[in-house]
Amino acid sequence: MRKSTTSCLCHILVCLCFIQRCYGASHHIPADKVTIAKNQTKLANGETEVHHRPKRGWIWNQFFVLEEHIGPDTQYVGKLHSNSDKGDGSVRYILSGEGAGSIFIINEVTGDIHATESLDRERKAHYVLHAQAFDRNTEKPLEPKSEFIIKVQDINDNAPTFPDGPFVAAVPEMSGVGTSVYQVTATDADDPTYGNSARVVYSILQGQPYFSVDPKTGVIRTALANMDREAREHYAVVIQAKDMAGSVGGLSGSTTINITLTDVNDNPPKFPQKNYQLYVPESAQVGKPVGKIKANDEDLGVNAEIKYSIINSEGAAMFSINTDRETREGIISLKKPLNYERKKTYTLQIEGVNSHLEPLFSYLGPFKDTATLKITVGDVDEPPVFSMDYYIMDIYENARIGREVGAVTARDPDSKNSHVRYFIDHSEHSDKYFNIDMDSGVIKTTQSLDREDMPWHNITVIASEVDNPSLLSHVPVTVQVLDVNDNPPEINKDKEVIVCESSRPGQVIQTMTAVDKDDFANGQRFSFALPSGVPVNPNFTLKDNEDNTASIITRRRQFSRIVQELYELPIVVWDGGEPALSGTSTLTLRVCPCQRNGRVQTCQDERGLLSSAGLSTGALIAILLCIVILLAIVVLFITLRRSKKEPLVISEEDVRENVVTYDDEGGGEEDTEAFDIITLRNPAAAEELKFRRDIRPEAARQRGQNRGCHSPPELNQVDVQEFINQRLVEADMDTSGPPYDSLQTYAYEGQMSPTGSISSLDSPGTHSEQDYNYLDDWGPEFQKLAELYVEDTDVADYNTS
């Protein structure tokens, strides 16, 4: 068939070439008959140049060649022919382009084109080539280069394929007929525009009668209703795709679709059996699991989740059930303690219900099931049981040793009623204040009890059976120690008692309270007094306020800290117990300067201030030592600076021929250290301060000390001339002075001012009527001044009276 098609095409091409050649020969015009037309140009030499329009002597569209050619000979494609070819072999044909010379070859004389290889359209559908005719003699082109296409003609040589296969699909179980499951699509590499080579039709080879496939679209659908996953879960469906529209001779390909039925809740839970039995010992702990039960559900995942419950009141009162999500079991736990002697069996009605229901399949219900569980309580040898969960007892303090405190009782809950023995657990407390009678359970004291030392005692009593000592029970026992008035009261000494120096007679110094270690049910009652049988205290007295407090009152005025700083005051205090007890406490009263009228009552005690600052004696000594060292360093530094003054003698040569120049500028009126002007204005002071600036101060100070600290009184009346002469003699006789003349200038203004002194120190004063109480408001800096004026006022009042 392929050869016949090829030969037909070749005959058609030969006819076309023949017609084209005849047409070109009939229209050939001799050169000598050509006249000048519009396309001619006359040259200067009289010749004419003709402009030829390119003549398309050949026009090619495309050639066809069948793919997959089989045979030893080359496959004929077509023939190239030019109008200039006279058949004498003067024309040479050249072929270029895709596959020229390798896949396609041309006969240069005849222009026949052949394919040397078998072509595959799916690999390359067409080839673009170029043809040209040359004059064999002149090698000039007779025709311009022309492009043509050789198209590979398709044959049905590719079967349909499923590139992504095999496939996996899922559909819910119990789905209706026609439910879409999956769609498959096959591909065919053949030319879909030529014939039916690429037209595919689908069919099912395996999977009937459960599934079907649409022959055109490839959609797979369910073909059987109510497919049950629990019966069969997986299906392998084989789909075939065949080209040539499924006709005979078409090529085909197949693929497999693995379809899984997904689960739906279409199965209720079922207990494997309706009746169960369980043995539980009476010693089982409350809240702990005692058994488990399970209902089966053929569904998967959430569709198989089951919720268990106890639906009868007898079982729900004693037991509870919960669902284990991993194992889907019902875990039975104990809610209350079991007692074999009271009840030996329990019946539980247990129900299992699906948690997730689907209304679509409600007609398959009900989705629940019930079972009966009979629990048998086992008898166990139990430890003794105390009559109470805890005991509280009491006993008075200081009771005799061996005094009975109370008793505990326990019994054997078992039917045999074994004898019980009692013990005290001493592992918790090392002090053994109590013991217990092992047969009767009576608790007694072993030591004297003191409520003030320990008001409560906690002990643990252990009970065990005689027949089985390993079974133990524990019970807490609390013993309260009751109070007895066995402690005398004492004065509360938390605060220091301060007596101000300015206190007046009858002034309340401080209010005292008392403390008692004993416990009084109706409140404490205290009374206070000074000791009897001792001389009356001239400084202080005591007043009982009858409200469990007492006030210390001064008897005199004007305490002096310098005269006596500390006073002791014994006080007797009685309690209101039965019998009443008394105690004597001695208070220490400290005298301190305080603010006036006792408004603030703040004692400015130096030791208190130092103690409040948190400084110890050693720290204070260290601070003072550092201050002394710093002062010594400062004094040494000043002394060294004064000793390093520039010497007045510049050369060791004859000092009489030297002129000493001073370039020292004074500090003005504010310079109070450069020169003491008082010695110039007051001759009496000059005698007292005989220091010269041209000698060392130490020498002058030593001379002043030798003369004494005060000048004679008669110097006040000396004449200025005599004073100057005296100073001249002293300057001449002074051996410590420098060996050169010095100029001393004295300015004396005189004395005996007629106005007298304006100082009030020597003036006789009279008592002023002015009130100096406002000095108290000036602060602690003026406190001493206020006290001085107040004392003067009091003395003046006393003298007046």
Side-chain angles (χ1 to χ4, degrees):
M1 181 178 179
R2 184 179 298 174
K3 291 182 178 180
S4 62
T5 305
T6 305
S7 61
C8 293
L9 291 174
C10 292
H11 291 303
I12 294 172
L13 292 174
V14 170
C15 292
L16 290 174
C17 292
F18 179 76
I19 294 171
Q20 184 179 12
R21 182 178 181 182
C22 294
Y23 178 82
S26 63
H27 290 79
H28 180 70
I29 300 176
D32 56 353
K33 294 183 179 181
V34 175
T35 59
I36 299 175
K38 294 181 180 180
N39 293 333
Q40 297 179 0
T41 302
K42 189 174 182 180
L43 300 176
N45 55 5
E47 296 182 356
T48 302
E49 180 180 4
V50 180
H51 300 279
H52 297 282
R53 181 178 181 181
K55 181 179 180 182
R56 304 294 294 184
W58 48 4
I59 299 176
W60 313 96
N61 292 327
Q62 58 185 3
F63 291 116
F64 292 91
V65 60
L66 291 176
E67 66 172 336
E68 305 294 343
H69 172 71
I70 300 175
D73 300 331
T74 59
Q75 183 181 4
Y76 181 74
V77 178
K79 184 180 182 64
L80 297 180
H81 185 75
S82 174
N83 294 337
S84 301
D85 189 358
K86 302 298 189 293
D88 55 359
S90 61
V91 178
R92 184 166 63 92
Y93 295 95
I94 301 299
L95 186 66
S96 62
E98 296 179 340
S102 57
I103 300 176
F104 302 101
I105 59 175
I106 188 171
N107 190 320
E108 295 182 353
V109 178
T110 64
D112 294 331
I113 303 174
H114 292 80
T116 62
E117 298 179 4
S118 178
L119 303 179
D120 188 1
R121 189 200 66 84
E122 287 73 32
R123 181 178 298 176
K124 190 172 181 62
H126 64 274
Y127 296 85
V128 179
L129 293 96
H130 299 85
Q132 195 170 11
F134 289 89
D135 189 335
R136 187 180 296 276
N137 298 321
T138 62
E139 292 297 329
K140 292 183 179 181
L142 300 176
E143 301 289 349
K145 183 181 292 187
S146 178
E147 180 181 292
F148 66 97
I149 297 175
I150 298 177
K151 186 174 183 181
V152 181
Q153 191 173 6
D154 182 51
I155 64 174
N156 189 18
D157 59 342
N158 291 280
T161 60
F162 298 90
D164 298 330
F167 303 94
V168 177
V171 63
E173 63 174 333
M174 308 300 290
S175 297
V177 178
T179 302
S180 178
V181 179
Y182 197 77
Q183 182 178 11
V184 293
T185 302
T187 60
D188 197 318
D190 293 328
D191 189 359
T193 63
Y194 181 74
N196 294 327
S197 300
R199 184 179 177 186
V200 179
V201 175
Y202 300 95
S203 62
I204 185 168
L205 300 181
Q206 178 182 328
Q208 294 175 337
Y210 307 104
F211 300 94
S212 63
V213 63
D214 189 292
K216 294 183 179 181
T217 62
V219 176
I220 303 172
R221 301 179 186 275
T222 57
L224 187 64
N226 298 328
M227 288 188 291
D228 191 3
R229 185 200 63 82
E230 288 73 26
R232 184 178 176 181
E233 185 176 2
H234 301 286
Y235 296 85
V237 179
V238 179
I239 302 296
Q240 182 189 64
K242 189 175 183 180
D243 58 11
M244 299 300 292
S247 61
V248 179
L251 302 179
S252 64
S254 63
T255 187
T256 301
I257 300 94
N258 296 313
I259 300 176
T260 302
L261 297 182
T262 58
D263 183 64
V264 296
N265 191 9
D266 58 341
N267 295 281
K270 293 291 183 181
F271 286 100
Q273 58 192 53
K274 290 297 182 181
N275 297 293
Y276 297 87
Q277 291 185 354
L278 181 63
Y279 174 83
V280 180
E282 63 175 338
S283 60
Q285 297 182 7
V286 176
K288 298 295 183 180
V290 296
K292 56 186 177 180
I293 191 172
K294 183 178 182 181
N296 298 325
D297 194 323
E298 296 180 354
D299 295 324
L300 300 175
V302 296
N303 298 319
E305 291 184 358
I306 302 173
K307 181 180 180 182
Y308 298 93
S309 60
I310 302 175
I311 58 178
N312 65 321
S313 59
E314 177 187 356
M318 294 294 297
F319 299 90
S320 63
I321 187 169
N322 296 300
T323 303
D324 189 334
R325 294 185 177 274
E326 295 183 358
T327 63
R328 295 193 178 96
E329 295 177 332
I331 308 300
I332 302 171
S333 303
L334 189 62
K335 293 175 64 176
K336 297 180 180 179
L338 297 176
N339 192 330
Y340 173 82
E341 288 73 24
R342 294 182 181 179
K343 191 174 180 60
K344 297 179 175 58
T345 60
Y346 293 89
T347 301
L348 279 66
Q349 294 293 329
I350 300 176
E351 181 182 64
V353 181
N354 280 138
S355 302
H356 303 276
L357 301 178
E358 295 187 13
L360 183 62
F361 305 104
S362 61
Y363 64 93
L364 299 175
F367 289 85
K368 61 182 179 179
D369 194 17
T370 58
T372 302
L373 175 62
K374 183 179 181 181
I375 297 179
T376 301
V377 180
D379 186 17
V380 178
D381 192 5
E382 300 177 87
V385 178
F386 285 95
S387 60
M388 300 176 63
D389 295 335
Y390 60 91
Y391 294 85
I392 298 178
M393 305 175 184
D394 55 53
I395 185 174
Y396 282 99
E397 64 176 330
N398 301 328
R400 61 180 178 83
I401 300 176
R403 181 72 177 269
E404 180 179 342
V405 181
V408 297
T409 57
R411 64 175 182 85
D412 183 9
D414 299 323
S415 57
K416 59 183 179 179
N417 196 13
S418 177
H419 184 67
V420 178
R421 290 185 176 179
Y422 304 94
F423 306 93
I424 292 180
D425 186 6
H426 293 290
S427 61
E428 297 181 358
H429 305 283
S430 59
D431 297 335
K432 300 180 180 179
Y433 292 96
F434 307 93
N435 61 8
I436 188 171
D437 188 275
M438 67 172 53
D439 295 323
S440 62
V442 176
I443 301 175
K444 298 181 180 180
T445 61
T446 59
Q447 298 182 28
S448 178
L449 303 179
D450 188 0
R451 188 202 66 85
E452 290 73 30
D453 183 27
M454 186 180 295
W456 296 87
H457 294 266
N458 296 315
I459 60 176
T460 301
V461 177
I462 303 174
S464 66
E465 295 181 6
V466 177
D467 298 337
N468 190 357
S470 62
L471 296 177
L472 303 176
S473 296
H474 300 75
V475 66
V477 178
T478 301
V479 179
Q480 181 184 9
V481 181
L482 303 179
D483 184 57
V484 174
N485 191 18
D486 59 344
N487 291 280
E490 298 177 354
I491 296 296
N492 190 357
K493 299 180 181 180
D494 293 341
K495 297 181 180 180
E496 186 179 14
V497 182
I498 302 300
V499 180
C500 294
E501 291 181 330
S502 59
S503 299
R504 292 183 173 84
Q507 182 177 349
V508 176
I509 299 302
Q510 190 166 339
T511 300
M512 307 302 300
T513 59
V515 293
D516 197 324
K517 296 181 180 180
D518 293 325
D519 183 19
F520 294 90
N522 298 324
Q524 296 179 338
R525 296 288 185 269
F526 299 109
S527 56
F528 305 85
L530 294 177
S532 59
V534 296
V536 177
N537 193 319
N539 301 312
F540 307 98
T541 184
L542 188 68
K543 177 184 178 182
D544 190 349
N545 298 324
E546 298 181 355
D547 58 353
N548 295 331
T549 63
S551 300
I552 302 175
I553 303 175
T554 58
R555 287 180 175 270
R556 66 181 183 87
R557 66 187 304 164
Q558 294 299 328
F559 290 89
S560 176
R561 183 181 182 186
I562 300 176
V563 175
Q564 184 175 352
E565 182 181 3
L566 300 177
Y567 293 87
E568 292 184 351
L569 179 65
I571 299 176
V572 182
V573 56
W574 289 270
D575 60 15
E578 189 66 33
L581 297 180
S582 63
T584 302
S585 300
T586 301
L587 295 180
T588 300
L589 290 74
R590 182 182 301 278
V591 178
C592 292
C594 302
Q595 293 188 3
R596 188 169 175 266
N597 296 328
R599 288 184 302 172
V600 182
Q601 291 293 330
T602 301
C603 180
Q604 305 295 331
D605 184 26
E606 290 79 0
R607 285 176 292 182
L609 292 175
L610 293 176
S611 62
S612 63
L615 298 177
S616 61
T617 304
L620 293 176
I621 294 176
I623 293 174
L624 293 177
L625 183 61
C626 293
I627 294 174
V628 171
I629 294 174
L630 291 176
L631 292 176
I633 294 174
V634 172
V635 171
L636 180 60
F637 179 76
I638 295 174
T639 303
L640 293 175
R641 285 179 59 91
R642 290 181 178 179
S643 62
K644 290 182 179 181
K645 288 184 178 181
E646 185 178 353
L648 297 178
V649 179
I650 300 177
S651 177
E652 294 181 357
E653 299 177 358
D654 190 2
V655 296
R656 292 174 297 178
E657 300 178 358
N658 294 335
V659 178
V660 179
T661 304
Y662 296 91
D663 189 7
D664 187 6
E665 182 178 353
E669 296 180 356
E670 297 180 357
D671 189 0
T672 58
E673 297 179 358
F675 192 85
D676 191 0
I677 198 171
I678 298 177
T679 58
L680 300 179
R681 296 183 177 180
N682 191 352
E687 179 67 21
E688 185 174 342
L689 299 174
K690 243 182 219 183
F691 299 102
R692 293 178 54 182
R693 298 187 57 179
D694 52 353
I695 63 175
R696 290 185 176 271
E698 290 79 359
R701 186 180 297 109
Q702 184 66 31
R703 290 186 308 169
Q705 292 178 356
N706 295 335
R707 293 186 178 95
C709 297
H710 302 282
S711 58
E714 59 271 9
L715 289 178
N716 293 330
Q717 305 296 331
V718 72
D719 185 65
V720 175
Q721 183 64 34
E722 296 179 358
F723 171 75
I724 293 175
N725 293 332
Q726 183 179 358
R727 290 292 179 269
L728 180 59
V729 172
E730 291 178 356
D732 294 337
M733 300 299 296
D734 188 4
T735 59
S736 61
Y740 53 82
D741 294 336
S742 63
L743 177 63
Q744 296 183 8
T745 304
Y746 299 92
Y748 176 61
E749 297 181 357
Q751 55 185 358
M752 297 299 293
S753 174
T755 59
S757 174
I758 62 175
S759 175
S760 60
L761 296 179
D762 298 332
S763 303
T766 59
H767 176 65
S768 175
E769 299 296 335
Q770 185 176 359
D771 186 9
Y772 295 99
N773 291 330
Y774 65 89
L775 295 176
D776 294 333
D777 300 330
W778 286 16
E781 294 83 357
F782 298 91
Q783 186 64 34
K784 192 66 178 178
L785 180 63
E787 292 178 358
L788 293 175
Y789 275 92
V790 169
E791 291 179 358
D792 294 341
T793 305
D794 294 341
V795 172
D797 294 341
Y798 178 77
N799 294 332
T800 305
S801 60

